[in-house]
Amino acid sequence: GNSVTQMEGPVTLSEEAFLTINCTYTATGYPSLFWYVQYPGEGLQLLLKATKADDKGSNKGFEATYRKETTSFHLEKGSVQVSDSAVYFCALKLDKIIFGKGTRLHILP
Amino acid sequence: EADIYQTPRYLVIGTGKKITLECSQTMGHDKMYWYQQDPGMELHLIHYSYGVNSTEKGDLSSESTVSRIRTEHFPLTLESARPSHTSQYLCASGDTGAGELFFGEGSRLTVL
């Protein structure tokens, strides 16, 4: 079946550090891939997306590249800020949307 | 900015009470969803609808029920709340093509 696996958290980094949150997927087909972010006390919001292989999604300094050969969609940011502290969800969509379990990120000042 | 609204944001009630969580969207989306989010953050799909008068149960069994009488409105009802229903409930909507979901801010339910 289709599934999403993302690295377990929490992930704790200092401000200005480099961030990677790993995400791999299993899919019978060619899914669209997404990263959603959930700030404290809020619902999820779309951070970025990619709809086909080799596409790169980017937003707010975050990037992720759709890698079909490794079935991955890792989230990266070159220099994180305290305001990036949140929970990040990787997701795929074929006939329906499937979310990963979420990765909590703490950024220390 | 997403136009999807949930009320109430927070609700504390006693066991046995009937509650309805409201969800409305102004984007004209056909697809709407209810997720239950546990303290460990994981999202569990409990109900979804692909249009008016269409409702389906999700992956996680739930004692709640939903209705979809109007496109913009997708309320969730618990006839008799129990402490095990204490959770965060997130409503979402999306259109058929793009795949992106828009989420409300959530309703945090506590049953004493």
Side-chain angles (χ1 to χ4, degrees):
Chain A
N2 303 321
S3 65
V4 174
T5 302
Q6 60 182 107
M7 65 190 288
E8 291 191 22
V11 174
T12 302
L13 296 171
S14 296
E15 205 165 24
E16 299 183 5
F18 184 87
L19 168 71
T20 300
I21 301 179
N22 290 338
C23 172
T24 57
Y25 67 90
T26 302
T28 54
Y30 301 98
S32 295
L33 300 174
F34 306 84
W35 277 101
Y36 285 82
V37 59
Q38 184 178 28
Y39 298 105
E42 298 183 12
L44 281 70
Q45 56 185 274
L46 181 69
L47 181 59
L48 52 84
K49 68 179 180 182
T51 56
K52 62 183 187 300
D54 299 325
D55 269 2
K56 177 186 282 188
S58 62
N59 187 24
K60 299 182 180 179
F62 290 89
E63 293 183 339
T65 301
Y66 190 143
R67 301 283 188 203
K68 183 166 172 281
E69 64 276 12
T70 54
T71 61
S72 65
F73 193 54
H74 304 321
L75 182 68
E76 296 182 336
K77 187 174 184 182
S79 176
V80 292
Q81 305 300 312
V82 172
S83 57
D84 293 327
S85 297
V87 180
Y88 292 81
F89 292 89
C90 185
L92 70 81
K93 180 183 181 291
L94 281 165
D95 55 334
K96 62 178 184 178
I97 292 180
I98 296 172
F99 287 93
K101 293 186 178 182
T103 302
R104 188 178 298 278
L105 175 65
H106 294 291
I107 306 300
L108 304 176
Chain B
E1 190 162 317
D3 295 312
I4 178 164
Y5 308 100
Q6 291 186 239
T7 57
R9 290 289 313 278
Y10 303 93
L11 181 62
V12 180
I13 60 168
T15 296
K17 299 292 187 185
K18 177 181 179 179
I19 66 107
T20 296
L21 305 180
E22 303 287 351
C23 177
S24 295
Q25 51 96 4
T26 59
M27 296 171 281
H29 290 160
D30 287 327
K31 296 183 176 181
M32 296 191 74
Y33 307 82
W34 276 104
Y35 289 88
Q36 186 172 339
Q37 186 173 31
D38 59 32
M41 306 171 303
E42 190 171 356
L43 297 168
H44 301 283
L45 181 65
I46 52 174
H47 298 284
Y48 62 97
S49 167
Y50 286 170
V52 171
N53 294 326
S54 154
T55 62
E56 301 288 343
K57 290 191 178 295
D59 305 319
L60 179 69
S61 176
S62 173
E63 294 167 350
S64 58
T65 59
V66 292
S67 62
R68 189 89 183 275
I69 299 172
R70 302 199 314 268
T71 298
E72 62 270 21
H73 197 212
F74 191 42
L76 180 146
T77 298
L78 275 166
E79 289 292 334
S80 179
R82 295 205 303 271
S84 60
H85 297 137
T86 293
S87 191
Q88 163 100 308
Y89 293 86
L90 293 170
C91 180
S93 73
D95 62 28
T96 303
E100 174 185 357
L101 290 187
F102 295 86
F103 282 81
E105 292 190 305
S107 293
R108 183 167 295 282
L109 172 66
T110 302
V111 184
L112 304 176

